[in-house]
């Protein structure tokens, strides 16, 4: 009886301590003059995320919408305080002007626990800066022009894939088709292999890749607790990405690098550039005069004049960058193309106008699609910008305060170590900045509309020194896919698609039930 009583007392005491600890933690903002919504005693402001009811970016959007009069607002992730910034001028200061106070994302991956953690996204401090300097030239327009033929070859498989659906009288799921195209592109450009998953949807590369984006409770745990100890991550198997998938990509890069070096093979892709860096070579075909301009811009942004990059390009580092390339290229492109086709099916007038622009542009060059022609389709750029407005590639940006920062024109202080959230989706769906936020309206991106709008309310790829380094590639990948999808086909919604779309909770953008479409040739 004594043992049971003692055990009961210990449990009750432990629970009371947890309750007290969380309640005390939720008083953090009181001492710094920062407004905040009332948090749940255990979940903070993330109850819907923890209970798997909403994706975290929708929670941030809800908080953004509820605090119209506030420039910034405190947010609790469980007991951990963070600050969500709503004011575009303050956002500009954080991302650009005062970047030195906010240069880390606040989501470091543990090198020991995460097989491919040494990537540009998760790196911090000087390690990130040195890697960014080393990779700056990787995505210059000259490098993109070099990779353009590889993308075209992948996109040429779109037409037979769609015709097969038509011949069989089947509807198709838009993200599945887009993901197969994205997989072919990333396989070719980042890993140097021809996958042809548009022809073979059962390819091993595609299957392994999909496991990376499958909803996993481990991702939620890591998202809510980004700085767990290595021992905890390993013991409870809380790796952000599946270890088996990481091992697969590491072996793939190892094998491809060995084959190319032993056989003196080059393809003009991302892996060629990494191999050149590894071997300290300046390959003639990889030279690009724009490299210096991109590097000079970055150095000016970080306030550094001398170049020092002592990052060793090991196989592990190369695999980590290729894996990051895969993550961004697979999920970002497949989601964008899925939503593009959905909006075209919903807005046939826009679809017809866009198709006419694509066809007339191709006809002006004898039907041949070239790299330079991508800049000659302004309506396509408007349409894609509107897709990214309604579902940005990065629905929210994260930065971590690296030294105490007094918010301009206030007495409020962001303490060192506090994460800062920039709710991209909230900003881009705000009627204060966009005339028809709940409609698909490409005219949001006329030259006049863009001039009248604050530049830091539209941030689909981020901004400042930590802007998405592969933005040029991402745009090229989507534009090429869009041209090959729309030049020969007309898309309509299938009865299987539930409108309005409902998004599943989790890390990736997943539409419940999928986006099902019908297509016909013109």
């Amino acid at each position: 009886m004594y043992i049971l009583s003692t055990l009961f007392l210990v449990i009750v005491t432990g629970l009371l301590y947890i309750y007290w600890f969380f309640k005390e933690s939720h008083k953090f903002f009181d001492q710094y003059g920062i407004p905040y919504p009332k948090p749940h005693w255990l979940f903070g402001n993330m109850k819907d995320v923890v209970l798997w009811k909403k994706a975290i970016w929708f929670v941030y959007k809800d908080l953004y919408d509820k605090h119209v009069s506030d420039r910034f607002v405190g947010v609790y992730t469980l007991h951990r305080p963070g600050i969500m910034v709503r004011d575009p001028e303050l956002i500009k200061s954080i991302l650009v002007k005062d970047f030195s106070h906010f240069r880390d994302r606040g989501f470091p991956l543990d090198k020991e626990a995460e097989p491919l953690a040494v990537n540009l996204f998760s790196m911090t401090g000087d390690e990130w800066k040195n890697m960014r300097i080393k990779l700056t030239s990787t995505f210059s327009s000259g490098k993109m022009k070099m990779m353009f033929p590889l993308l075209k070859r992948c996109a040429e498989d779109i037409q037979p894939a769609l015709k097969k659906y038509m011949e069989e009288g089947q509807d198709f799921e838009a993200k599945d088709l887009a993901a197969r195209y994205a997989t072919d592109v990333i396989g070719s450009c980042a890993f140097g292999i021809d996958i042809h998953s548009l022809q073979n949807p059962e390819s091993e590369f595609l299957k392994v890749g999909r496991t990376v984006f499958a909803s996993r409770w481990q991702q939620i745990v890591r998202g809510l607790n980004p700085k767990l100890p290595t021992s905890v991550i390993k013991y409870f198997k809380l790796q952000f990405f599946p270890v088996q998938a990481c091992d697969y990509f590491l072996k793939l890069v190892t094998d491809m690098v060995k084959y190319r070096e032993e056989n003196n093979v080059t393809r003009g892709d991302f892996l060629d550039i990494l191999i050149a860096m590894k071997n300290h070579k300046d390959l003639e075909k990889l030279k690009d005069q724009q490299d210096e301009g991109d590097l000079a811009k970055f150095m000016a942004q970080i306030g550094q004049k001398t170049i020092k990059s002592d990052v060793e390009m090991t196989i592990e580092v190369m695999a980590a960058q290729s894996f990051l390339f895969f993550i961004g290229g697979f999920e970002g492109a497949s989601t964008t193309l899925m939503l593009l086709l959905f909006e075209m099916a919903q807005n046939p007038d826009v679809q017809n106008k866009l198709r006419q622009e694509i066809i007339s542009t191709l006809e002006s060059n004898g039907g041949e699609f070239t790299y330079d022609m991508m800049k000659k389709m302004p309506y396509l750029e408007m349409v894609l910008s509107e897709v990214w407005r309604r579902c940005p590639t990065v629905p929210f940006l994260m930065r971590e305060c690296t030294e105490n920062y007094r918010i301009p024109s206030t007495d409020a202080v962001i303490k060192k170590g506090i994460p800062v959230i920039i709710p991209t989706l909230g900003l881009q769906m705000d009627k204060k900045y966009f005339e028809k936020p709940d409609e698909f309206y490409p005219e949001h991106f006329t030259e006049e509309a863009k001039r009248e709008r604050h530049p830091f309310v539209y941030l689909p790829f981020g901004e400042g020194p930590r802007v998405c380094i592969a933005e040029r590639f991402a745009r090229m990948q989507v534009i090429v896919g869009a041209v090959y999808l729309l030049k020969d086909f007309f898309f309509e919604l299938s009865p299987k698609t539930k409108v309005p779309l409902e998004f599943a909770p989790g890390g990736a953008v997943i539409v419940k039930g999928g986006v099902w479409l019908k297509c016909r040739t013109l």
Side-chain angles (χ1 to χ4, degrees):
M1 187 66 181
Y2 173 77
I3 295 176
L4 290 176
S5 299
T6 302
L7 180 61
F8 176 77
L9 183 61
V10 169
I11 292 173
V12 170
T13 302
L15 291 174
L16 288 174
Y17 173 78
I18 292 172
Y19 178 78
W20 172 84
F21 174 78
F22 274 69
K23 292 291 285 186
E24 286 298 306
S25 298
H26 292 163
K27 296 178 182 179
F28 177 85
F29 292 118
D30 294 336
Q31 57 188 313
Y32 297 110
I34 296 174
Y36 63 96
K38 183 179 179 180
H40 183 278
W41 77 267
L42 178 60
F43 303 125
N45 301 116
M46 297 293 125
K47 182 178 179 180
D48 285 344
V49 177
V50 177
L51 298 182
W52 207 252
K53 291 182 178 180
K54 282 185 179 180
I56 193 168
W57 51 84
F58 286 116
V59 172
Y60 288 142
K61 181 183 181 300
D62 290 344
L63 290 171
Y64 176 94
D65 292 340
K66 289 176 182 176
H67 291 267
V68 178
S69 60
D70 295 316
R71 294 174 61 208
F72 50 88
V73 60
V75 176
Y76 288 103
T77 301
L78 304 182
H79 69 284
R80 186 175 181 234
I83 294 178
M84 187 180 74
V85 181
R86 301 182 77 262
D87 175 57
E89 272 302 312
L90 181 53
I91 291 171
K92 180 180 179 180
S93 294
I94 289 169
L95 295 181
V96 181
K97 183 180 177 182
D98 298 318
F99 172 75
S100 60
H101 289 73
F102 302 96
R103 67 179 186 177
D104 295 340
R105 296 188 190 277
F107 196 86
L109 295 182
D110 192 291
K111 297 178 184 178
E112 186 180 341
E114 306 279 358
L116 297 180
V118 196
N119 65 60
L120 193 62
F121 182 89
S122 60
M123 284 178 167
T124 61
D126 288 342
E127 184 182 43
W128 161 78
K129 182 176 64 178
N130 291 334
M131 179 60 75
R132 181 64 169 76
I133 290 172
K134 201 171 189 71
L135 293 178
T136 291
S137 65
T138 304
F139 294 99
S140 67
S141 60
K143 302 296 193 304
M144 296 304 97
K145 192 169 185 178
M146 186 174 68
M147 294 185 200
F148 182 78
L150 300 176
L151 272 76
K152 276 183 60 178
R153 284 202 290 272
C154 294
E156 287 167 358
D157 284 340
I158 290 175
Q159 185 181 60
L162 284 174
K163 283 189 173 181
K164 184 177 179 181
Y165 285 121
M166 291 171 56
E167 291 168 359
E168 296 174 355
Q170 294 181 357
D171 301 344
F172 70 95
E173 208 284 305
K175 189 162 187 178
D176 173 72
L177 181 79
R180 286 155 58 192
Y181 161 68
T183 299
D184 288 351
V185 169
I186 299 302
S188 181
C189 292
F191 295 93
I193 54 176
D194 295 320
I195 299 169
H196 298 298
S197 64
L198 279 165
Q199 299 175 12
N200 174 27
E202 300 302 317
S203 68
E204 182 184 12
F205 189 98
L206 179 60
K207 287 181 177 179
V208 174
R210 280 179 169 150
T211 67
V212 174
F213 298 99
S215 294
R216 302 167 63 243
W217 64 270
Q218 291 93 335
Q219 289 181 337
I220 298 297
V221 173
R222 290 297 302 283
L224 296 173
N225 302 274
K227 296 183 179 180
L228 287 173
T230 301
S231 57
V232 174
I233 295 171
K234 284 186 169 183
Y235 184 80
F236 292 102
K237 298 181 179 179
L238 296 175
Q239 285 83 358
F240 198 79
F241 297 110
V243 175
Q244 295 84 351
C246 293
D247 290 344
Y248 172 85
F249 286 116
L250 176 58
K251 183 178 185 303
L252 182 60
V253 171
T254 301
D255 292 344
M256 291 307 302
V257 170
K258 181 180 179 182
Y259 174 79
R260 290 195 188 190
E261 290 183 333
E262 290 179 350
N263 296 278
N264 196 27
V265 173
T266 60
R267 284 171 49 100
D269 57 14
F270 182 66
L271 199 56
D272 271 359
I273 300 169
L274 295 181
I275 292 173
M277 290 178 179
K278 170 180 174 288
N279 296 323
H280 306 287
K281 290 183 178 179
D282 185 18
L283 296 184
E284 204 61 38
K285 67 180 293 186
L286 298 182
K287 285 185 177 179
D288 177 11
Q289 63 180 3
Q290 191 187 0
D291 292 357
E292 293 184 6
D294 285 349
L295 184 56
K297 178 182 177 181
F298 176 71
M299 299 297 283
Q301 286 179 326
I302 63 174
Q304 185 171 318
K305 294 182 179 180
T306 58
I307 298 174
K308 180 183 179 182
S309 178
D310 54 2
V311 177
E312 184 182 359
M313 194 60 68
T314 64
I315 287 293
E316 290 75 17
V317 171
M318 294 170 70
Q321 310 323 308
S322 297
F323 184 61
L324 180 61
F325 196 158
F326 169 79
I327 293 170
F330 181 96
E331 179 60 21
S334 59
T335 297
T336 300
L337 289 171
M338 170 189 72
L339 294 175
L340 170 68
L341 293 180
F342 170 76
E343 296 294 358
M344 294 304 93
Q346 285 273 85
N347 301 274
D349 291 343
V350 175
Q351 183 177 178
N352 285 325
K353 182 177 178 179
L354 177 55
R355 181 177 295 103
Q356 286 305 310
E357 178 184 72
I358 291 172
I359 291 173
S360 63
T361 303
L362 292 175
E363 288 177 347
S364 70
N365 195 45
E368 179 65 21
F369 184 32
T370 65
Y371 177 82
D372 294 331
M373 290 170 64
M374 290 194 297
K375 297 179 181 179
K376 298 179 180 180
M377 293 180 280
Y379 193 62
L380 174 57
E381 179 63 30
M382 289 168 61
V383 168
L384 289 176
S385 294
E386 180 67 351
V387 172
W388 281 316
R389 179 189 72 83
R390 288 168 61 82
C391 187
T393 303
V394 186
F396 65 95
L397 305 177
M398 290 287 293
R399 297 291 185 267
E400 183 175 83
C401 186
T402 51
E403 54 182 289
N404 289 357
Y405 179 80
R406 185 174 297 279
I407 298 176
S409 304
T410 76
D411 293 326
V413 175
I414 302 178
K415 300 292 288 184
K416 180 180 178 180
I418 296 297
V420 174
I421 304 107
I422 297 170
T424 313
L425 183 61
L427 288 161
Q428 296 180 183
M429 294 294 287
D430 191 335
K431 64 181 179 181
K432 181 179 178 181
Y433 307 120
F434 296 92
E435 182 182 353
K436 301 178 181 179
D438 298 321
E439 297 181 25
F440 186 80
Y441 188 62
E443 285 69 23
H444 283 139
F445 293 93
T446 62
E447 290 303 315
E448 181 182 2
K450 288 190 290 186
R451 282 194 301 269
E452 293 177 353
R453 189 167 54 237
H454 196 292
F456 280 76
V457 299
Y458 180 69
L459 302 165
F461 293 95
E463 189 50 84
R466 292 207 79 143
V467 69
C468 174
I469 191 175
E471 179 179 352
R472 286 193 184 111
F473 182 86
R475 289 181 178 276
M476 178 172 70
Q477 183 181 10
V478 170
I479 288 172
V480 171
V483 167
Y484 277 83
L485 282 163
L486 292 167
K487 70 185 182 72
D488 296 317
F489 298 93
F490 187 88
F491 298 93
E492 300 171 335
L493 284 183
S494 163
K496 295 180 183 179
T497 302
K498 297 179 181 179
V499 180
L501 301 181
E502 184 179 355
F503 293 91
V509 179
I510 299 173
V511 175
K512 290 184 178 180
V515 175
W516 291 86
L517 301 172
K518 297 175 179 291
C519 71
R520 55 181 170 82
T521 53
L522 300 175

